[in-house]
Amino acid sequence: MQTQTLFVEVRPDTGKQTARRLRRQGKLPGVIYGKKAGNIPLAIPLKELERLLAREGENALLKVIVTGNGKEKEFAAVIREVQRHPIKGVITHADLYQISLDEKIRATVPVILEGEAKGVEQGGILQYGLREVEVEGLPADLPEVITISNLGVGEHLEVADIKAPPGVKILSEPDAVIATVVSTRAVEAEEGAGAPVGEGETPVAE
């Protein structure tokens, strides 16, 4: 995982009025916390954070440069939580967790299919079970995403089938299903079995 640099400022005041003022300035209230950082309230450039999330996602490994009171501090960190407005969807707050590059951490990593499943090309339907898995490892060793192999009709992939990168341990349940490709006939049969009387065939009394 590559390190991304994020420049932030110490937020001298807290409260709703300060948060509103920061947003008018194109900044975002946030915090960085951890063993070395303690608990530092931040003003984070909103556009810069949005670009970082769009490019790297919430699993990005950060080098956070904190300036304030005439001083500059640098911390390795990950994004712990991003809060969004329930209606507008805009970011309203961000929590950064200061880490040590020499200590293992846990993170959730998205699972994506590489290309189009051959089973889909054969007329099957791809169904996802898990879209992310929990992993543990040194920050620099953690993958940004995990890609899964091609699946044919009737095939499925479990967590145990994933080959973890060197130094990384997958913590999700081994028998949890990541994805499966089912035939359209199986889906139609399942939907037909669940159809209420009047929408499918009329049952025949024995």
Side-chain angles (χ1 to χ4, degrees):
M1 184 181 295
Q2 295 182 345
T3 303
Q4 307 296 320
T5 302
L6 180 66
F7 293 91
V8 299
E9 300 173 353
V10 174
R11 176 164 47 105
D13 300 315
T14 59
K16 294 183 178 180
Q17 291 185 352
T18 299
R20 294 193 189 99
R21 185 177 71 251
L22 286 176
R23 294 187 182 103
R24 288 195 298 267
Q25 297 172 351
K27 299 177 182 178
L28 178 76
V31 64
I32 183 170
Y33 63 95
K35 292 181 181 179
K36 294 183 179 180
N39 193 310
I40 306 175
L42 302 175
I44 305 172
L46 178 57
K47 293 297 183 183
E48 186 175 343
L49 181 62
E50 288 177 335
R51 283 194 294 268
L52 189 151
L53 289 172
R55 187 174 63 249
E56 304 293 335
E58 293 189 20
N59 283 328
L61 177 60
L62 305 177
K63 179 171 72 173
V64 182
I65 309 297
V66 183
T67 58
N69 302 320
K71 299 179 180 180
E72 182 177 287
K73 297 181 179 180
E74 179 181 317
F75 301 103
V78 292
I79 299 172
R80 179 51 56 90
E81 182 181 12
V82 173
Q83 299 176 14
R84 297 180 181 272
H85 190 280
I87 298 176
K88 298 179 181 179
V90 297
I91 303 175
T92 57
H93 193 275
D95 289 353
L96 309 180
Y97 178 57
Q98 176 259 315
I99 60 173
S100 170
L101 296 178
D102 298 325
E103 294 180 2
K104 293 183 178 181
I105 62 171
R106 293 186 176 187
T108 54
V109 179
V111 178
I112 62 172
L113 181 69
E114 187 175 13
E116 185 175 23
K118 62 182 180 182
V120 174
E121 296 176 350
Q122 297 166 354
I125 298 176
L126 176 66
Q127 296 180 338
Y128 274 98
L130 296 180
R131 290 187 177 271
E132 60 185 21
V133 294
E134 186 178 12
V135 299
E136 181 183 61
L138 294 177
D141 293 338
L142 297 183
E144 297 175 5
V145 298
I146 291 177
T147 56
I148 59 178
S149 58
N150 233 330
L151 296 173
V153 175
E155 295 179 344
H156 73 277
L157 186 78
E158 297 180 350
V159 170
D161 298 322
I162 297 176
K163 184 178 180 180
V168 176
K169 180 180 180 180
I170 297 178
L171 303 178
S172 298
E173 291 296 329
D175 58 352
V177 175
I178 298 289
T180 184
V181 177
V182 298
S183 67
T184 52
R185 290 183 179 180
V187 174
E188 291 170 356
E190 183 178 345
E191 293 176 348
V197 175
E199 293 185 18
E201 296 181 356
T202 303
V204 179
E206 296 182 357

